[in-house]
Amino acid sequence: LPRHDWSKDEIAALFDLPFMELVYQAASVHRKSFDPSEVQLSQLLSVRTGGCAENCGYCSQSAHFDTGLKASKLMPVDEVLAAAQAAKDGGAQRFCMGAAWRELKDRDVPALTEMVSGVKALGLETCMTLGMLRPDQAVTLKEAGLDYYNHNLDTSPEYYESVVTTRTYAERLDTLQAVADAGMKTCCGGILGLGESREDRVSFLHQLATLPHHPDSLPINNLVAVSGTPLGEKAQAEGGISGLEFVRTVAVARIVCPKSMVRLSAGRTEMSEELQALC
């Protein structure tokens, strides 16, 4: 059964295991709850791109950085549903819709709930990532049929202010609690390769493993280094996380959150087939 009392020392000890022993333990845990030959495919669509007020140091959509990305308005519902149908035709089982906002505005809720119900009618699982939510907004999205809400912690509490300063760690946790209280499933993970240490990766997974309810979906992202973003340019200059350390983090996530669907997300297409297979 999932534990919620993991200590940082216990998690650090997992990271320190010989590589193949760690992979073996993670694969053994995986087989207890999942079909080892099954992979769920998801597709993400940016339904509102650019101009975000947040200063997340890795993000091309932040209004704080010059990345050459032009801001756009919220997509029409029919265009979103057409994209969802194409995703389903391509084999996707879950469709996630993301908007570059600090928080959800009430004026956009009707269009978003229409998107949710329309995508759901296609037979796809639905997911949205819209920034911070109030509890009443979470309830509205749940009633529209939203299955998952994505809200990542990004990194450890200790390293967090090196990544973003326009939103606190506590505010992220508050949104996760609002989603859980509304009865929606949570999609919550983070990004590796931001310049964090292994101790930060231990602390990040400790945060997830000690939540009252582990994330139902746990995305592990590898930083896509975007020119014009502070952390992207730092990664380009210094190099990101090594492939084996990335796999270690995925393996430890699997062990400490045994029922979560651990997802290989951003950065996957830049990985070799060998690295993807290890993940």
Side-chain angles (χ1 to χ4, degrees):
L1 294 175
R3 288 176 49 192
H4 299 267
D5 60 348
W6 287 91
S7 69
K8 289 184 180 180
D9 286 344
E10 287 177 304
I11 295 174
L14 291 174
F15 269 95
D16 287 338
L17 286 171
F19 181 77
M20 291 309 299
E21 174 62 23
L22 174 58
V23 169
Y24 172 77
Q25 289 193 24
S28 299
V29 169
H30 184 72
R31 288 170 181 267
K32 292 179 180 179
S33 298
F34 298 94
D35 179 346
S37 64
E38 181 182 357
V39 177
Q40 186 190 57
L41 302 179
S42 300
Q43 189 155 320
L44 171 66
L45 175 68
S46 180
V47 298
R48 194 277 184 182
T49 303
C52 182
E54 301 278 24
N55 67 351
C56 304
Y58 54 81
C59 187
S60 63
Q61 302 199 58
S62 172
H64 294 257
F65 315 126
D66 183 10
T67 63
L69 185 70
K70 293 183 179 180
S72 64
K73 296 181 179 180
L74 186 66
M75 287 177 63
V77 174
D78 59 342
E79 292 183 14
V80 173
L81 298 185
Q85 182 63 61
K88 182 180 180 181
D89 293 343
Q93 297 147 296
R94 183 184 301 178
F95 191 70
C96 186
M97 295 154 275
W101 289 322
R102 172 176 164 75
E103 68 275 313
L104 175 59
K105 299 292 194 299
D106 288 337
R107 65 174 180 266
D108 295 306
V109 170
L112 293 167
T113 55
E114 190 176 350
M115 292 177 193
V116 170
S117 59
V119 172
K120 189 108 174 151
L122 296 175
L124 290 163
E125 288 186 355
T126 54
C127 178
M128 279 188 161
T129 178
L130 311 168
M132 293 186 291
L133 289 184
R134 300 192 312 265
D136 61 298
Q137 293 172 329
V139 170
T140 299
L141 291 172
K142 167 65 176 176
E143 291 175 346
L146 188 61
D147 298 304
Y148 290 83
Y149 193 80
N150 168 260
H151 200 66
N152 289 334
L153 294 181
D154 283 353
T155 189
S156 68
E158 296 82 3
Y159 193 65
Y160 183 75
E161 288 192 358
S162 298
V163 177
V164 55
T165 59
T166 51
R167 186 192 316 180
T168 67
Y169 212 80
E171 285 175 317
R172 291 184 182 270
L173 294 172
D174 288 344
T175 291
L176 288 174
Q177 189 61 55
V179 170
D181 288 345
M184 269 189 292
K185 295 177 180 178
T186 55
C187 179
C188 180
I191 305 171
L192 308 184
L194 297 171
E196 78 283 353
S197 64
R198 177 178 282 188
E199 289 73 21
D200 289 312
R201 292 187 280 276
V202 168
S203 181
F204 157 64
L205 291 181
H206 179 258
Q207 284 288 313
L208 296 178
T210 56
L211 288 171
H213 179 78
H214 290 167
D216 298 282
S217 187
L218 200 168
I220 301 292
N221 300 278
N222 197 4
L223 176 67
V224 177
V226 177
S227 297
T229 63
L231 293 177
E233 295 191 344
K234 179 179 179 181
Q236 289 172 356
E238 301 176 2
I241 185 172
S242 74
L244 293 184
E245 184 69 9
F246 188 92
V247 176
R248 282 186 181 274
T249 309
V250 171
V252 175
R254 162 49 62 228
I255 292 170
V256 300
C257 295
K259 300 286 188 180
S260 302
M261 184 169 287
V262 179
R263 317 192 69 85
L264 189 58
S265 300
R268 178 185 59 79
T269 55
E270 285 79 16
M271 296 178 182
S272 68
E273 289 189 355
E274 294 84 356
L275 180 53
Q276 291 188 52
L278 281 171
C279 290

